Amino acid sequence: VTGVQTCALPIYFGVIAGLVRDQNSARHGFLRFPDGKIITFDDPVAGTDGSSGQGTRIAGLNAVGAVIGSVRDSTNFDIPFVRDPDGNYHNVSFPNFGGGNAGGINLWGAMVGNYIRSDDEQSGLAIAGGFFHYHAFIRNPSGSLTFFDPPGSQSTDIPNYSINDFGTITGDYWVCNADYSSCLVHGF
């Protein structure tokens, strides 16, 4: 893949997913197939200002060819998405959605990630070094969403490759004191 910077992520049956930056540093997704064929793609709402990190960012691929990632639009808003094997995009959106990221997808098409609620209080966490109050979500193959946080969580993190084909999800969550000067991180 020709570009200023290329990053390959997962490989399934010889198919490689990744991202490439163009001459303006805007991000674009790509798939490289075992026969050498390469396709590049962009979520339809992707911004083109690379200096702001805009574009299509890839976070994962499953064995049937669904790609997940996050798109940063022209207003610098981050939106998790699934690109199905046919090239259709399914962006995550719901009331009070304040942005988010995809973390993993399993064989069946269940995607996990984290998000910010626009109605959450963020000031205390921002004071504590720029952390935000993230929550976790599961996007089922049907498109329905399930939201969750472990008890006591003040920020829930869902890292890449964090769901397996049985639907087991891993991550971590933060529990902090009142002024966020001290936090403990727990895994799940």
Side-chain angles (χ1 to χ4, degrees):
V1 175
T2 303
V4 175
Q5 178 186 24
T6 303
C7 176
L9 295 167
I11 300 172
Y12 279 104
F13 303 108
V15 177
I16 302 169
L19 65 92
V20 61
R21 291 180 186 258
D22 63 22
Q23 66 277 8
N24 298 317
S25 291
R27 297 172 177 146
H28 310 276
F30 76 83
L31 291 172
R32 183 186 185 282
F33 297 91
D35 65 2
K37 178 183 173 188
I38 297 171
I39 61 168
T40 59
F41 54 88
D42 289 296
D43 187 290
V45 302
T48 58
D49 181 359
S51 68
S52 299
Q54 293 177 3
T56 302
R57 295 172 293 181
I58 305 306
L61 168 73
N62 72 8
V64 297
V67 177
I68 61 157
S70 301
V71 58
R72 183 166 291 172
D73 68 13
S74 61
T75 65
N76 294 325
F77 193 71
D78 293 332
I79 306 162
F81 71 84
V82 175
R83 180 186 182 274
D84 68 30
D86 295 324
N88 302 304
Y89 288 85
H90 308 278
N91 292 350
V92 171
S93 182
F94 52 88
N96 298 317
F97 177 68
N101 297 293
I105 187 167
N106 68 12
L107 174 66
W108 312 111
M111 175 178 70
V112 294
N114 43 358
Y115 69 96
I116 297 172
R117 289 183 54 94
S118 60
D119 58 351
D120 270 348
E121 174 61 44
Q122 299 289 344
S123 60
L125 290 169
I127 291 169
F131 295 107
F132 290 97
H133 185 179
Y134 281 98
H135 305 275
F137 73 86
I138 304 167
R139 182 192 181 276
N140 296 303
S142 67
S144 65
L145 295 167
T146 302
F147 307 102
F148 69 95
D149 284 304
S153 174
Q154 289 161 306
S155 190
T156 303
D157 181 42
I158 304 294
N160 286 351
Y161 314 109
S162 51
I163 184 170
N164 68 18
D165 291 338
F166 299 104
T168 304
I169 300 167
T170 62
D172 58 72
Y173 66 100
W174 296 60
V175 177
C176 305
N177 64 6
D179 68 358
Y180 299 98
S181 62
S182 176
C183 298
L184 295 175
V185 180
H186 305 273
F188 63 89

